[in-house]
Amino acid sequence: MKFTVAIDGPAAAGKGTISRAVAARFGFEHLDTGLLYRAVGMKGGDPVLAAQGLTSADLSRDDLRSLEAGQAASQVAVLPDVRAALTEFQRSFARRKGGAVLDGRDIGTVICPQAEVKLFVTASAEIRARRRWLELGGEAAEEAFEVVLAQVRERDDRDMNRADAPMRPAADAVMVDTSDMSIEDAVAFAVATVSARL
Ligand code: DC
């Protein structure tokens, strides 16, 4: 069976948690496509060559979740040749047998417009920045909350306004605003949406 769940939205909206939970619940494979861009951004050198030659070692670096990697990813992600180099891998993952969940920014619009389920997960910038800041250690974090908030806004702005594959909901995406939702409720909603299509 081929069945694709596309989960798009901005950073720290809850996409990752929802995607992992949906994949575990239905036995689908999960691909966090942001990691591909993070690995390209952190590899250094020519980003197009980095994207064309991405290895599993690049994808297992332990600094890919850092704020620095997020910013680097967003910068290389504006380059059409970088996006093109990563497209085929994502498309074949999406149509693998047994079902797939992909989370990113352009899965429902560009990578897999034929996905059986499309969710666009959002939350206010303040709430997303607070979640990210708490993950980094809250009061004990190296970065002040305001720095994290400024980075979230900068990344949203770049991801939404780039010319190639900008972040936006597909016309047929189901919108999920997690600002005032518990993660359990958000997961339950996503699971129910997938169940209804299976
Ligand atoms: O989801 P994330 O925070 O790990 O993504 C990091 C950056 O990578 C994001 O700011 C933009 C880029 N990205 C993208 O352009 N397209 C995707 N499908 C996934 C991520």
Side-chain angles (χ1 to χ4, degrees):
M1 179 203 60
K2 290 183 179 169
F3 192 96
T4 312
V5 183
I7 304 190
D8 290 305
K15 295 188 309 282
T17 309
I18 294 172
S19 302
R20 283 188 295 276
V22 167
R25 168 70 178 72
F26 296 101
F28 297 164
E29 291 293 326
H30 170 225
L31 178 64
D32 170 358
T33 64
L35 272 188
L36 305 174
Y37 293 92
R38 286 169 180 263
V40 171
M42 293 302 274
K43 198 163 174 178
D46 179 341
V48 177
L49 292 180
Q52 287 167 345
L54 212 57
T55 64
S56 49
D58 297 329
L59 291 167
S60 25
R61 293 172 64 126
D62 56 13
D63 56 359
L64 294 184
R65 305 267 174 207
S66 63
L67 286 182
E68 182 197 353
Q71 289 291 353
S74 171
Q75 283 163 14
V76 298
V78 304
L79 302 171
D81 289 346
V82 165
R83 305 197 72 82
L86 301 175
T87 298
E88 203 37 55
F89 173 71
Q90 296 176 78
R91 284 200 176 135
S92 53
F93 190 98
R95 302 315 282 169
R96 67 193 290 142
K97 286 201 188 109
V101 182
L102 287 83
D103 73 87
R105 303 289 186 289
D106 63 339
I107 308 304
T109 50
V110 173
I111 298 297
C112 200
Q114 76 277 34
E116 281 73 11
V117 175
K118 297 179 191 175
L119 299 176
F120 194 87
V121 183
T122 64
S124 73
E126 287 75 15
I127 286 186
R128 291 184 288 114
R130 186 153 301 277
R131 289 178 187 157
R132 193 41 58 85
W133 180 66
L134 290 173
E135 268 171 28
L136 292 169
E139 294 296 347
E142 273 177 36
E143 288 83 7
F145 170 72
E146 286 69 26
V147 173
V148 179
L149 177 59
Q151 292 204 6
V152 161
R153 290 202 165 119
E154 187 191 329
R155 202 133 75 83
D156 283 357
D157 187 54
R158 199 185 296 117
D159 294 348
M160 282 188 299
N161 293 312
R162 65 180 178 226
D164 190 21
M167 170 175 72
R168 62 178 172 78
D172 53 350
V174 177
M175 302 296 290
V176 189
D177 186 334
T178 66
S179 299
D180 299 314
M181 239 181 180
S182 70
I183 193 62
E184 291 78 14
D185 286 349
V187 166
F189 178 81
V191 165
T193 307
V194 174
S195 288
R197 283 301 310 272
L198 269 170

